[in-house]
Amino acid sequence: MSLRTKIRNYFVFLWRCARIAFAGDSRYYAWMGFLSIIILLGINAYAKQFVHGLIVTGMSDQVSWGVYIANFTFMVGIAAAAAMLVIPVYIYNNKELHDLVIFGELLAVAAILMCLAFVAVDLGRPDRFWHLIPGIGKFNFPGSMLSWDVIVLNGYLLLNVHICGYLLYCRYLGKTPAKWFYIPFVFLAIAWAVSIHTVTAFLYVGLGGRPFWNSSIVGPRFLASAFTAGPALIILALQVIRRVTDYHIHDRALLTLRSIVQVSMLINVFLLVNEIFKEFYTRTSHVASSRYLYFGLHGHHALVPWIWVAIIFNLVSMTLLVLPLSKSLRYLNVACVLAITGIWIEKGMGLVVPGFIPTPLGEMVEYSPSLNETLVCLGIWAFGILCYTIFLRMSIPILQGRLSRANEGLPDVHLVNAR
Amino acid sequence: MSDQKPPSAPPPFGEVSRRSFLRNSAILASGAAALAASLAPLRELSNYTSVELFLQKHYKELTPAEMQKVLDRIAREVEQQYHIRPRVRDYKPMDGVEFVYCLNLTRCIGCRKCVHACVAENNQSRNPEIQYIRVLKMPHGSLDMERADHNYAPASVPEKGFFYMPVQCQQCKNPPCVKVCPVKATWQEPDGITVIDYDWCIGCRYCEAACPYFARRFNWTKPSIPKERLNPEMSYLGNRPRRQGVMEKCHFCIQRTRQGKYPACLEVCPAGARKFGNALDPESEVAYILKNKRVFIQLKEELGTSPRFFYYFDV
């Protein structure tokens, strides 16, 4: 095959993928239309923020990071969790999960896109974004953990785009993927997944002036909670996929993921207990942020209901997960929803905000997100879900063989049929 | 799991494409209109940036000629906005100088005159209010800042049973803010002053999270200064007006101290609590204090930041 044909084939592939993203049944259009409206609301809110500045958020000099960075942190965990599907398949040769790995990796791609969006909307000067680009900007590497984060997040994005893109394209062409061209990247991506969340934890851990974050348990807790919430989200996503498409997913795969969530949740709760003991048994003056978070401090207790809801959700979820009860999907789903919500609260409001309260000079200023800030967040969430929907819309017909090089030029039956 | 629908026979090919072409065009047009509507707030945008500013290099990479152009641009912009021709300079550090600040806690009466002198000198935003100095009212016998009152407002100061501790940028020898900045927009100068290139900062606020002294302030919106209050004696790394979305903080009045003057907060202090000078000059007042005063502290010494700001007591 000449190079020209190869390039032509590739562009035909991209074109057909792009076309199929715009085709579907009425439910598909309704879903995409709904997401688009939320994205537009988010864009509108961000345009206001762009003009008037971050003053339209609930942040202040005292609490200078809020839900943007909280959601960013949570989504890094979701992205990292793709490794929890890759490891069983590529290291332990798990058969059930084999065909599902790609859904985890695509979720990672969507999650990283959301991470980048959450960081971008948090910048005071988005027009100076190019200062962050190695080579043309002025990159403080290796000094700043944020510069590490730029590298690991974009690297992880590229790795996953490469792996998913290559495997899907091979399936489209109907040829066996060349092992050397993706297996090394798969293993690299496993280590990389751990690194993105570790580096994100170090972003906080490295700040000596914030005792709440300056603790070596933050990194391990990040990983444990990510490896709980991520696979839990994948369990739910897979069930949605098999409900709305005709892609076959066996219950055994979901139960394999259940055992991963089970173990991660136990470790997650264990680490939480460690942290709480250290903070409250010693009761040094450094416990102020934790006291504020769990019990309130000097009459300020905005986060108290949140964190207790999170803890109760985590404990109920853990109980469900260890009981044989959760072998039934209904209970497993409840456990997953509780775990995701609990960890989202704990990682977001529960980790980022109390780090700032009280301030290093002992001032108590509370934070709650503004409406505008919330709309921007919802917009980014909708954007991430839209991306994931599109990725699935493209990849499922390819995996099923309905979108392939072989049927190029034929009337696109799958555009009408597949939902 | 849902069962598969049988594929319906595709209608004649040409008809589909014409119909779908019309449908797609309609969808695209309404999508574009919705996007334009959602971006409508951008119409209020004015004077956000300029081509020159957008392409401007980092402070340390500007040649003297380029720096002159930048200073001219800043003067032009200030004149446009405030109708006052400012004098914008880029003062360089002096050789053999390391600035330190010493503050006498026995003398400070908590009048906050330093706070306001600082705002006037350094062209801080009046609305929203930005202040570099925070004065803490502390109960006798404790340095626990959690017990401090930040918003005290009695009829007169000082009050019995309390002492007052002004806190501003501590100009650390080992500054956490500099370490964390992802784009090197803040750094330590040879004379010990940690400065910010307001034209390079991306506004990520990582430095603000890293600072253990709550010294950094962010421009959450466009700063506003009444025309008649503008201080026209400006410097690039110092008190020139800032833009929305960048960080700022105390820079030891770089536009004054690099010309051999005292910082504004020192000059205004009615109690003589503030001392400033060159620690490398053995004849300086600060060298005398550091050598002879028996009690002085660095805030949060245990963090290893090594401030160039010392608090002392008269014994």
Side-chain angles (χ1 to χ4, degrees):
Chain A
M1 211 185 331
S2 75
L3 184 65
R4 240 183 94 180
T5 330
K6 277 185 178 168
I7 292 174
R8 183 206 155 269
N9 281 348
Y10 191 63
F11 276 96
V12 169
F13 163 73
L14 291 181
W15 170 243
R16 295 183 74 195
C17 284
R19 268 193 69 189
I20 201 172
F22 287 94
D25 61 7
S26 53
R27 285 186 308 168
Y28 181 72
Y29 283 122
W31 174 239
M32 299 301 266
F34 168 71
L35 291 176
S36 304
I37 289 168
I38 298 181
I39 293 172
L40 286 172
L41 287 175
I43 291 175
N44 182 252
Y46 180 68
K48 284 181 196 154
Q49 180 189 303
F50 190 88
V51 172
H52 301 291
L54 286 156
I55 198 158
V56 301
T57 69
M59 292 185 272
S60 59
D61 281 317
Q62 285 83 1
V63 185
S64 49
W65 282 341
V67 279
Y68 294 156
I69 295 300
N71 275 300
F72 158 76
T73 308
F74 179 76
M75 289 321 294
V76 172
I78 297 297
M84 285 290 103
L85 273 110
V86 178
I87 291 171
V89 172
Y90 287 93
I91 297 183
Y92 297 109
N93 290 316
N94 181 295
K95 294 280 180 289
E96 277 90 36
L97 293 176
H98 188 272
D99 290 335
L100 304 176
V101 169
I102 202 137
F103 296 132
E105 284 163 343
L106 290 170
L107 181 67
V109 172
I112 293 282
L113 292 175
M114 287 172 70
C115 289
L116 297 176
F118 275 120
V119 176
V121 298
D122 192 62
L123 291 183
R125 295 297 309 191
D127 56 320
R128 297 183 188 164
F129 184 76
W130 65 274
H131 297 180
L132 268 172
I133 302 171
I136 59 169
K138 205 161 174 65
F139 207 47
N140 186 9
F141 185 82
S144 170
M145 290 321 293
L146 209 50
S147 67
W148 281 75
D149 228 7
V150 169
I151 291 176
V152 295
L153 287 177
N154 287 298
Y156 192 65
L157 178 64
L158 290 180
L159 278 172
N160 279 294
V161 167
H162 167 73
I163 296 167
C164 298
Y166 179 67
L167 291 180
L168 284 172
Y169 187 50
C170 286
R171 189 69 80 98
Y172 171 82
L173 292 178
K175 73 170 199 183
T176 320
K179 281 211 150 76
W180 65 270
F181 201 57
Y182 78 101
I183 293 287
F185 295 105
V186 167
F187 283 96
L188 183 60
I190 294 174
W192 210 286
V194 175
S195 86
I196 60 169
H197 219 23
T198 311
V199 167
T200 305
F202 286 0
L203 211 74
Y204 301 98
V205 174
L207 304 183
R210 307 271 175 189
F212 185 70
W213 295 336
N214 186 219
S215 148
S216 47
I217 207 164
V218 172
R221 273 195 70 196
F222 267 35
L223 285 174
S225 61
F227 292 160
T228 312
L233 190 59
I234 292 172
I235 290 178
L236 299 177
L238 290 176
Q239 289 177 73
V240 174
I241 290 171
R242 77 174 179 187
R243 184 171 286 259
V244 300
T245 74
D246 46 22
Y247 192 85
H248 184 76
I249 293 166
H250 205 281
D251 276 357
R252 276 200 307 270
L254 301 175
L255 293 178
T256 310
L257 286 171
R258 168 182 172 262
S259 40
I260 293 172
V261 179
Q262 197 177 44
V263 174
S264 306
M265 182 53 110
L266 286 170
I267 298 174
N268 183 35
V269 171
F270 171 71
L271 293 179
L272 174 69
V273 171
N274 274 264
E275 181 162 34
I276 290 183
F277 172 79
K278 176 250 173 188
E279 292 283 273
F280 289 104
Y281 190 80
T282 44
R283 281 206 169 262
T284 66
S285 63
H286 286 167
V287 79
S289 291
S290 293
R291 268 194 357 239
Y292 167 71
L293 175 62
Y294 291 101
F295 304 110
L297 189 63
H298 306 314
H300 297 86
H301 28 63
L303 291 182
V304 176
W306 288 94
I307 196 66
W308 286 104
V309 166
I311 287 182
I312 290 165
F313 277 16
N314 277 331
L315 291 177
V316 173
S317 172
M318 181 186 75
T319 314
L320 281 174
L321 285 166
V322 293
L323 294 176
L325 197 64
S326 57
K327 281 182 184 157
S328 127
L329 283 186
R330 190 189 303 162
Y331 290 101
L332 180 60
N333 289 345
V334 171
C336 287
V337 170
L338 291 178
I340 294 165
T341 320
I343 288 168
W344 180 77
I345 296 173
E346 183 194 302
K347 202 81 143 300
M349 299 303 260
L351 176 99
V352 177
V353 178
F356 290 103
I357 304 171
T359 70
L361 298 186
E363 191 183 4
M364 298 293 299
V365 174
E366 294 197 291
Y367 161 84
S368 64
S370 69
L371 174 65
N372 204 75
E373 204 175 356
T374 311
L375 286 173
V376 173
C377 288
L378 287 176
I380 295 175
W381 272 90
F383 163 75
I385 297 171
L386 182 111
C387 287
Y388 193 47
T389 311
I390 289 177
F391 296 159
L392 294 174
R393 186 73 189 93
M394 293 169 173
S395 56
I396 288 173
I398 295 174
L399 294 172
Q400 289 175 326
R402 286 196 301 209
L403 182 66
S404 70
R405 171 94 177 84
N407 62 20
E408 184 188 313
L410 294 176
D412 282 332
V413 174
H414 55 269
L415 292 190
V416 186
N417 167 40
R419 285 170 291 160
Chain B
M1 202 184 308
S2 67
D3 47 352
Q4 190 176 346
K5 272 189 193 164
S8 50
F13 207 52
E15 190 137 332
V16 170
S17 53
R18 191 185 316 143
R19 214 173 55 199
S20 68
F21 174 76
L22 287 174
R23 193 191 59 187
N24 290 349
S25 314
I27 291 175
L28 265 179
S30 49
L35 183 66
S38 75
L39 289 172
L42 293 181
R43 279 186 305 219
E44 287 174 57
L45 202 63
S46 69
N47 189 27
Y48 185 75
T49 185
S50 62
V51 178
E52 276 168 288
L53 177 59
F54 179 74
L55 296 174
Q56 188 176 311
K57 289 192 272 184
H58 186 273
Y59 174 83
K60 289 187 180 175
E61 282 165 8
L62 292 168
T63 63
E66 288 170 331
M67 181 43 106
Q68 195 48 55
K69 271 193 189 155
V70 169
L71 298 177
D72 291 345
R73 170 183 66 76
I74 294 167
R76 215 167 52 235
E77 286 169 358
V78 169
E79 196 173 4
Q80 232 164 36
Q81 197 181 344
Y82 298 94
H83 312 294
I84 298 167
R85 184 78 191 168
R87 213 164 68 103
V88 195
R89 302 271 299 273
D90 175 34
Y91 300 101
K92 297 293 180 191
M94 293 178 276
D95 284 335
V97 171
E98 183 184 354
F99 289 127
V100 300
Y101 214 117
C102 296
L103 199 147
N104 189 337
L105 288 175
T106 316
R107 290 200 169 199
C108 178
I109 55 169
C111 65
R112 293 202 185 103
K113 277 194 159 47
C114 50
V115 177
H116 299 291
C118 171
V119 170
E121 167 66 29
N122 289 305
N123 291 321
Q124 272 113 303
S125 173
R126 311 304 207 270
N127 181 28
E129 231 176 354
I130 290 184
Q131 299 171 345
Y132 295 165
I133 305 174
R134 181 57 71 93
V135 186
L136 310 187
K137 182 177 112 177
M138 312 270 286
H140 270 171
S142 172
L143 263 174
D144 178 5
M145 286 186 281
E146 254 186 75
R147 303 179 62 189
D149 183 357
H150 291 246
N151 304 307
Y152 64 92
S156 68
V157 284
E159 292 166 278
K160 262 210 147 41
F162 297 95
F163 72 98
Y164 299 88
M165 184 163 76
V167 183
Q168 61 207 73
C169 177
Q170 306 279 302
Q171 311 292 357
C172 305
K173 278 186 188 162
N174 180 20
C177 51
V178 169
K179 189 160 65 180
V180 302
C181 177
V183 294
K184 300 188 185 173
T186 183
W187 66 92
Q188 203 175 162
E189 290 269 289
D191 55 3
I193 304 179
T194 292
V195 293
I196 301 169
D197 183 347
Y198 311 122
D199 290 347
W200 193 259
C201 171
I202 59 170
C204 71
R205 311 186 299 294
Y206 198 9
C207 56
E208 195 168 31
C211 176
Y213 305 103
F214 185 55
R216 292 189 161 240
R217 296 292 182 276
F218 186 67
N219 286 280
W220 296 94
T221 189
K222 204 178 223 175
S224 90
I225 310 163
K227 284 184 182 103
E228 63 280 8
R229 296 283 175 80
L230 194 76
N231 174 7
E233 293 294 318
M234 297 177 183
S235 81
Y236 184 92
L237 295 173
N239 61 343
R240 68 185 167 111
R242 275 73 64 184
R243 279 175 185 268
Q244 170 179 309
V246 301
M247 199 57 72
E248 57 178 286
K249 67 167 188 72
C250 160
H251 40 76
F252 276 176
C253 284
I254 206 165
Q255 66 280 355
R256 300 170 58 93
T257 51
R258 280 189 176 174
Q259 295 190 83
K261 295 189 207 161
Y262 281 123
C265 52
L266 183 149
E267 281 198 343
V268 79
C269 179
R274 290 172 168 268
K275 305 289 176 191
F276 176 85
N278 177 10
L280 303 181
D281 172 8
E283 304 296 306
S284 70
E285 211 173 357
V286 287
Y288 175 86
I289 292 167
L290 292 182
K291 203 169 148 197
N292 297 300
K293 290 289 173 182
R294 283 197 295 173
V295 188
F296 61 83
I297 54 164
Q298 291 170 307
L299 275 190
K300 308 198 182 192
E301 197 180 349
E302 72 278 11
L303 296 180
T305 48
S306 190
R308 287 194 183 82
F309 202 106
F310 298 89
Y311 295 89
Y312 67 102
F313 305 87
D314 279 334
V315 232

